[in-house]
Amino acid sequence: MGNLRAIGMASSLAVAIALAGCGPATEQANVAEVARPVEVVAVTTEPLALSSELPGRVEPVRVAEVRARVPGIVMKKNFEEGADVKAGDLLFQIDPAPLKAAVSRAEGDLARAQSVAHEAQARVKRYEPLVKIEAVSQQDFDSATADLRSAQAAIRSAQADLETARLNLGYASVKAPISGRVGRALVTEGALVGQGDVTLMARIQQLDPVYVDFTQSVADALRLRESLKDGKLSGDDNKALSIRVEGTQYERQGALLFTDIAVDRGTGQVSLRGKFANSDGVLLPGMYVRVRTPQGTDNQAILVPQRAVQRGSDGNAVVMVVGADDRVEPRSVTTGAMQGSRWQISEGLKVGDQVIVGGLAGLQPGGKVAPAQTQVQAQVQSPAAQQ
């Protein structure tokens, strides 16, 4: 009986030892790696209009300085400062009295010259038949002819003096040379103007349309030219521009007029000019604006959501993609333009890559993931991407 009990206890101990030895190995074998669910988007290409935003200044299309062209006393100001005027509108009236007297004097000089010429003409007519029969000497006839020509020249001179006097009388009424907006008056009634110099009286600026002058670096211009030449970008034929007034959301569309033919030696910038409608007069000369100018179209652009792009300690951009066997693979990329809530990726991704956009928190390279496709709506804030 004692032997049977000893055998049973030994058997139980052996089973327990066997179970204790097999337990942990069995659990480790049965534990499977858990795949983390993530959201991914498949990389595709699409056309992307590129643009640059550059600083610019508003300039008037035309500027006219209204000056006194004759001396005199200002008698009247006929405009409201800051108002719109049309070409030919009367702005100032200078005292015309001395100028009218000059006209009368010139008219008298012309009448006197005409009288002298008439007398000389009559003398020549009388001498002409007489000189043929030698009743009058040839010398007397030649002298009469010379007197006639001198009188005729005096008439032309008197006519010119009369025309000048009448022009000066007209200049007493100072009129707007162009249509536009007139600034403040620089002289007042009673002021003596035009005495020794042409006094500036007011300034008129044409504000519809207006120019916007801005600059672009030569390096950017050359890179754009090379990209167009290599076929990476296609040109934008309409040359459409848009401007935004600094500090506001006010925007307006315009067109590129020209690019300057010279480069500023000090800054390495090339000047450009755009033209914009300004019927409401919001754009004023000297106003600071941001000009968005087209830089071509990338027909094979790769765009990914902004949240998919992470920055390392070195500042380089990295995205997480689903690699072989559904494992996380970090990928260094080069970002380009921003379009709404998406980054343009110029290098590092190819069509078909699965970019992780959701579930990135705590994700480690090499980790197992369960990707699920998601649709990303691009929140585009402008028609063109901004460089």
Side-chain angles (χ1 to χ4, degrees):
M1 189 68 176
N3 292 333
L4 292 173
R5 184 178 296 138
I7 293 171
M9 292 178 63
S11 299
S12 299
L13 182 60
V15 171
I17 293 173
L19 290 175
C22 297
T26 303
E27 289 179 3
Q28 291 175 4
N30 292 334
V31 173
E33 184 177 5
V34 178
R36 291 187 52 177
V38 293
E39 295 180 352
V40 300
V41 293
V43 173
T44 59
T45 61
E46 61 182 273
L48 175 64
L50 302 176
S51 67
S52 291
E53 193 169 88
L54 305 167
R57 292 281 182 184
V58 177
E59 299 291 344
V61 172
R62 290 194 292 175
V63 179
E65 293 185 339
V66 180
R67 295 181 179 271
R69 303 175 69 175
V70 291
I73 302 296
V74 178
M75 298 181 63
K76 189 176 181 181
K77 177 175 74 73
N78 276 2
F79 66 92
E80 193 72 26
E81 295 175 326
D84 291 330
V85 296
K86 295 181 179 179
D89 286 353
L90 180 64
L91 302 181
F92 295 94
Q93 181 63 57
I94 297 175
D95 184 8
L99 301 173
K100 289 180 178 178
V103 170
S104 298
R105 184 164 51 252
E107 289 174 342
D109 292 341
L110 175 61
R112 185 181 303 107
Q114 289 172 336
S115 176
V116 172
H118 180 73
E119 180 183 357
Q121 180 69 41
R123 186 181 304 113
V124 168
K125 286 184 177 180
R126 287 197 307 270
Y127 284 2
E128 190 171 6
L130 297 177
V131 74
K132 293 179 180 179
I133 60 175
E134 296 183 355
V136 174
S137 68
Q138 184 66 40
Q139 181 178 359
D140 290 341
F141 178 75
D142 292 342
S143 178
T145 302
D147 290 343
L148 174 59
R149 290 176 179 174
S150 177
Q152 290 173 338
I155 289 177
R156 287 193 292 271
S157 179
Q159 288 173 336
D161 291 341
L162 177 59
E163 185 176 355
T164 300
R166 287 173 176 170
L167 283 174
N168 289 337
L169 179 60
Y171 293 152
S173 299
V174 182
K175 299 179 180 180
I178 63 172
S179 298
R181 185 168 298 175
V182 64
R184 64 186 180 92
L186 301 179
V187 296
T188 60
E189 290 87 343
L192 176 62
V193 296
Q195 193 69 32
D197 59 354
V198 283
T199 308
L200 179 61
M201 306 179 75
R203 185 176 286 106
I204 301 174
Q205 301 183 87
Q206 183 176 328
L207 302 181
D208 184 26
V210 293
Y211 293 139
V212 174
D213 293 336
F214 56 102
T215 58
Q216 183 181 34
S217 70
V218 175
D220 289 343
L222 291 177
R223 279 196 297 268
L224 173 61
R225 180 177 297 179
E226 289 299 319
S227 297
L228 293 172
K229 182 179 178 181
D230 296 341
K232 296 179 181 178
L233 299 178
S234 60
D236 195 342
D237 295 333
N238 58 17
K239 296 183 180 179
L241 300 179
S242 65
I243 59 172
R244 177 173 53 85
V245 179
E246 185 69 12
T248 72
Q249 296 301 316
Y250 183 84
E251 291 197 15
R252 180 155 294 177
Q253 300 295 317
L256 179 65
L257 292 184
F258 70 88
T259 302
D260 206 350
I261 59 174
V263 177
D264 189 302
R265 296 178 183 272
T267 63
Q269 304 275 323
V270 60
S271 298
L272 301 94
R273 169 169 284 184
K275 188 176 183 180
F276 296 82
N278 190 36
S279 57
D280 53 5
V282 172
L283 300 175
L284 300 176
M287 185 178 286
Y288 182 80
V289 294
R290 302 292 296 182
V291 184
R292 187 176 295 113
T293 175
Q295 300 292 297
T297 301
D298 185 353
N299 294 312
Q300 300 294 323
I302 293 177
L303 300 171
V304 299
Q306 184 178 359
R307 65 179 183 271
V309 180
Q310 305 175 46
R311 297 284 176 179
S313 58
D314 56 359
N316 293 330
V318 177
V319 298
M320 296 295 186
V321 300
V322 178
D325 196 24
D326 288 343
R327 294 192 178 275
V328 178
E329 176 187 328
R331 187 80 59 81
S332 296
V333 296
T334 302
T335 57
M338 172 70 80
Q339 185 192 42
S341 62
R342 299 187 296 171
W343 274 113
Q344 178 198 13
I345 304 300
S346 56
E347 293 180 2
L349 291 178
K350 62 182 183 298
V351 175
D353 284 343
Q354 301 290 317
V355 178
I356 301 175
V357 298
L360 286 165
L363 205 59
Q364 296 296 325
K368 187 76 171 179
V369 293
Q373 291 287 335
T374 183
Q375 296 293 328
V376 178
Q377 297 295 328
Q379 299 174 359
V380 181
Q381 62 184 6
S382 65
Q386 179 181 322
Q387 286 188 328

